[in-house]
Amino acid sequence: MNEQDLFAFDVNALAVYLRERLTRARLDPPLDPRTNEGPPAFLLRALRHLKDEEQAEFSNKLCQAIRISFGNLATHIAEKWAKPSGSDSAADEWLAGLSYLAQKLEATSVLSMMEVLAVAWLGNGTDKEPSFGVQHLIRSIAYMQQGKGHEGFWEELWAHRIPELTPLILFGWARCKPEAALRQLPGLVRAQDGTALANLLWSLLASGGPSPIEVGRALAHDAELHQQGRLALERAGASRDELRDYDLPMTATGPAAGAFPFPPEAKYRAQHTEYVGWDVNLQQVPA
Amino acid sequence: MSSRAVGPEKSRVFTFYSYKGGVGRTMAVANLACWLAHRHGLKVACIDWDLEAPGLHYYLGWPDEELRTRSGLVEYLHDFRSEVRHGATGVAPNVCEYLLPPAERIAAQIKFGEVRLLHCGRTDPLYLHRVKELDWKRFYEEEQGFSIVQTLRLQLLDSFDVVLIDARAGQADVGVTPTVQLPDTVVLLFTSNRQSLEGSIQIARRLIAHPLRRDQEIGPPHLLFTPARVFPAVDAYATWLNQDVRPALATLRETGMLLPEDISEDLLREGLPVAPHASVDEQIVVFDESPRVRELTHAYRNLAQALANLHQGLNAWTMEKPDADSERLSLDALKKQIAEASQRGDSDKVAQLQWLAGKKATEDRRVDEAEAFLQAAIAFYAGRGSAYAAEYGFSLLALGDLRVQQLKEAEAMLLYEKALTLLRETEEKSGQGLILLAMGNLRAKEGAYPEALRLYEEAQILLRESGTKNGQSVALHMMANALAKAGHPAQALTMYEEALILDREQENKRGQSAALHAMGNLTAEMGGNADAIPLYEEALVLDREMGDKLGQGMTLHGMGNVRAKQGDLTDALRLYEEALVLKRDAGDKRGQGVTLHAMGNARVQQADHAEALRLYEEALALKREAGDKLGQGVTLHEMGNVRAQQGDHADALRLYEEALALDREAGDKRGQGVMLHAMGNLRAQKGEHVEALRLYEEALALAQEAGDQEGIGIVSASIAQLRSKSAPGREQGLQGA
């Protein structure tokens, strides 16, 4: 099948094609962990070849097909999740592929369906390790969410304390309401160390998440925690500039500060300096 | 000025502040940095401290996208804070590692000095977050911000001559560091409206009384008010300056922190004008002399000159008129200054001082030294391109003057012409005027008065256009002098009267006295002897006031001439004697010669030929000592006349020939004409009519060449007389003989 055949499909035919295409895991892995590129890439590439108006039309058709697919998938997968040992690798690939595609196409009309699916998983499958599909579902929600309306969703996820999903949930929550998510950080840093902490902080700083400055500020009140966070970031491969940003919120005070080797002229009377901002001193200045 | 004692002696850190934005502050900083480097050879660091709306980097050729990963000021301050946290093991970051050079297209234009930019910081999406993390209150109160900023200042001044800071507009806390703590001088840019002016005055008051500097005992910064984005050419601008700006600034004068008016007044008057062509895109216009931006370019250059002067030190702000100050210095003092500047490595200053020393040495007739100084200055300026064209031109002018003194007129003329071409490129009108005056003098010296007058007139127009009143008066004096010599006493008199008015306006006593003296001479020459005396007397009063013995001597000599013409030879001789004593006191050998010559003339009138010859001999010896060839010619002429009267025609002819040779040497065509005429007279008396006619005709040609109308008349009359004496038949025979 070539691109022209694909463009000629109606919505239902597209939905069928998606299911077939996304679940042929063995031949065509939907999400190759090495490249992060799966069958949706074929669709996305095809989309890019279209002219603007054709692109919009096909994209619209594709979003509707994804919506239909999520509906079909929900019925199918919810049953599997309800069973104690139920798992369906093909359905999981289908979920992962649809989630990925929805995010890439910014199909916000399916966002609520995706959230429903995630909540359904919470209700049934949290005793099991979250599957690849579930991870992609949550990652896509984290990226696709707009505004603060999803705060409740993340709080709900957080409340379930799923260790494998902690970095991902923290990332989604921080994108939605950073101050709430970053408040959890000191506790997390105390509880974790090594690679886990590095992964956690690194996923937090991933594209579009809180800035290194905000992460640094969340830990700045405790020099020891801040230092632990810094080491974790170094371990995660943070750049010099990112580390510098992480350090910014730390105040330059402390028992050793007075001993800094300033050149003698620079230290001149500095210990007596009081803050001298414009606003503070307006009264002291003759008109 | 007592409060200045607490301020910085030399200004090296200049902060550019404006109460409102949009005044062209950033553009001014960028352009001044480039010019201070290129023209003044300084190492200049410029800092973009407008952290919330940075933009200096654009002017120096760095777009935002190229700074995303390049650390700047914000990172420096944060890094420093971070190091301070490490206490004794911390190391202050080196600001030089955060500096950027200008982009290649800008750097290529900066031939000397150096410009470096401390840009705002990494312009990635987190830039503003990093700025917000600089909590200035905490920075100063808890993080030793004062010491951090002082260290920044020390580091910059270790590596750079001058630091220019583009500060944020308004009164934000972020402005405390750049406007209060760092600067030695704050340049306040304000536009022509009340809000901007009053805001700036208010800020200036706060700066002066700011507790930070008071507590740290570093004294308030100096203040330099500069109007920006103005139209100085419209009348309303001058009115605004008079009615609003000057009174407002006067209220700050008492603080002692305003720069003296002699430097600030010019900047006020000119301002930084609006240049529509320069307002598109971020431009460095200071190298551009095209008419579309010329006014702004010149305004930037003037402001840069002021900053460079302030960088040299407080007393250097009089250097805006380097001639006025340094020219009063002796040659030795100048040499000392040259050595000092050389030690500092300030090659620009060295060249400027060498030029002045060359001029001074020329004045003092120390020819070899003058040559060495001027050649050194010329070598410096010659290799520096159009930016130094004016200095190059002025140095060539000075060398030309030296050549004139060495009697190498042709060489002088070539130097003047080259200097003129250079100054025409720079549109430096007063300089062009001075060169044309010097060229006119050379022509006048040759006796080519019409050509001299043309040059003087051109000079006078240029000097008037450039507003150089002193120069205008000099030009008028010279024109009058040339007119008098060319035989137009009435026109010369009018010209002197004009010069006198200008000299009186400027209270230039020397000029007044010279004009009055010359007017006395001319009036007497035109037969108005009685009218000449009051003019001389007025000149004498001025000469006495100035203690000018030479002037007094010359005036008394003129009065003696008048008395002699009036027939009172005894009084004339008394006045000459008096003049002689004064000239002797003044050491003027040539002048003494002239007076002794006049005394000889008076003796001739008294028929005391022996005494006359003795006086002439004495005059001749003095003129010889003074190297006055023209004067020697005149005296030899008179001696010849006396000898002729005594009947010794051979000796008379010898003397005339000697005089003629001297006139030829001096290039005095009028003098040569006179001499040939006198020789013709002798021949005619002896009946050698053909030889006499040949001499007369030669004399006529020279008089015509020199434009000497009087001479043409006299010689023509002599020729006619000779022809009438010769019968047509005899003429043929005579010619045959």
Side-chain angles (χ1 to χ4, degrees), chain B residues 437-624:
Chain B
L437 286 183
M439 289 167 79
N441 285 348
L442 274 188
R443 293 285 180 231
K445 210 171 162 190
E446 289 168 10
Y449 296 114
E451 172 66 5
L453 275 170
R454 194 190 60 72
L455 290 162
Y456 289 148
E457 265 170 42
E458 205 183 321
Q460 205 236 348
I461 292 166
L462 285 162
L463 292 164
R464 191 173 52 221
E465 280 174 6
S466 69
T468 325
K469 284 200 173 175
N470 189 30
Q472 269 185 75
S473 134
V474 171
L476 285 169
H477 273 271
M478 288 181 174
M479 281 162 81
N481 197 9
L483 281 167
K485 283 188 179 162
H488 305 292
Q491 281 168 273
L493 203 57
T494 318
M495 205 64 88
Y496 275 127
E497 275 167 7
E498 268 182 55
L500 187 62
I501 292 167
L502 270 177
D503 291 333
R504 279 191 178 134
E505 265 178 35
Q506 296 175 82
E507 297 176 4
N508 173 5
K509 286 188 182 175
R510 196 166 298 282
Q512 288 175 58
S513 148
L516 286 162
H517 180 97
M519 284 161 76
N521 287 352
L522 285 169
T523 310
E525 199 180 313
M526 288 159 71
N529 287 326
D531 295 336
I533 295 290
L535 291 165
Y536 283 135
E537 278 172 350
E538 208 181 319
L540 199 60
V541 171
L542 286 163
D543 291 338
R544 281 194 182 128
E545 276 176 18
M546 290 185 292
D548 177 5
K549 289 196 173 177
L550 185 58
Q552 289 174 59
M554 285 166 73
T555 307
L556 285 164
H557 176 102
M559 289 166 84
N561 285 350
V562 171
R563 298 304 284 152
K565 276 191 191 166
Q566 287 174 329
D568 190 344
L569 294 171
T570 319
D571 199 32
L573 279 166
R574 181 189 61 78
L575 287 161
Y576 287 144
E577 287 283 3
E578 229 175 289
L580 194 62
V581 173
L582 285 158
K583 285 180 174 181
R584 204 170 279 149
D585 286 352
D588 175 20
K589 291 192 174 168
R590 185 185 162 276
Q592 288 172 60
V594 171
T595 300
L596 283 163
H597 177 98
M599 288 166 82
N601 288 352
R603 290 295 182 195
V604 170
Q605 273 184 280
Q606 286 176 334
D608 188 348
H609 289 154
E611 178 62 7
L613 278 173
R614 191 194 62 75
L615 287 163
Y616 284 145
E617 288 283 3
E618 209 178 319
L620 195 62
L622 282 160
K623 286 178 176 181
R624 239 175 231 142

Side-chain angles (χ1 to χ4, degrees), chain A residues 209-214 217 223 226-227 230 239-242 244-282 284-287, chain B residues 69 71 75 78-88 90-92 98 122 124 126 129-130 133 136-138 140-144 146-148 150-151 154 171-173 175-176 179-180 203 205-207 209-212 214-218:
Chain A
S211 69
I213 301 176
E214 287 171 293
R217 195 185 298 128
H226 189 272
Q227 183 60 17
R230 196 177 201 283
S239 70
R240 182 169 167 263
D241 285 343
E242 281 163 329
R244 198 145 67 166
D245 281 345
Y246 172 83
D247 284 341
L248 298 192
M250 286 296 283
T251 52
T253 50
F260 183 84
F262 283 115
E265 303 91 320
K267 263 202 292 196
Y268 175 63
R269 288 175 63 83
Q271 61 273 33
H272 302 302
T273 311
E274 288 172 10
Y275 178 60
V276 281
W278 292 113
D279 302 325
V280 177
N281 286 294
L282 282 182
Q284 301 174 25
V285 177
Chain B
T69 56
S71 298
E75 285 76 23
H78 280 310
D79 288 352
F80 209 144
R81 290 171 57 237
S82 167
E83 289 296 329
V84 169
R85 271 206 306 277
H86 293 128
V91 179
Y98 296 74
R122 274 161 41 214
D124 62 8
L126 287 185
H129 293 271
R130 280 192 286 275
E133 280 304 316
W136 296 97
K137 186 174 189 307
R138 196 177 69 192
Y140 273 101
E141 277 181 353
E142 301 170 12
E143 303 183 339
Q144 309 211 28
F146 182 86
S147 296
I148 291 178
Q150 283 299 95
T151 309
L154 291 171
Q171 310 185 14
D173 285 351
V176 172
T179 46
V180 178
I203 289 294
R205 286 195 176 283
R206 286 186 200 160
L207 283 176
H210 204 286
L212 172 61
R214 194 188 55 212
D215 293 350
Q216 300 301 330
E217 295 174 11
I218 41 182

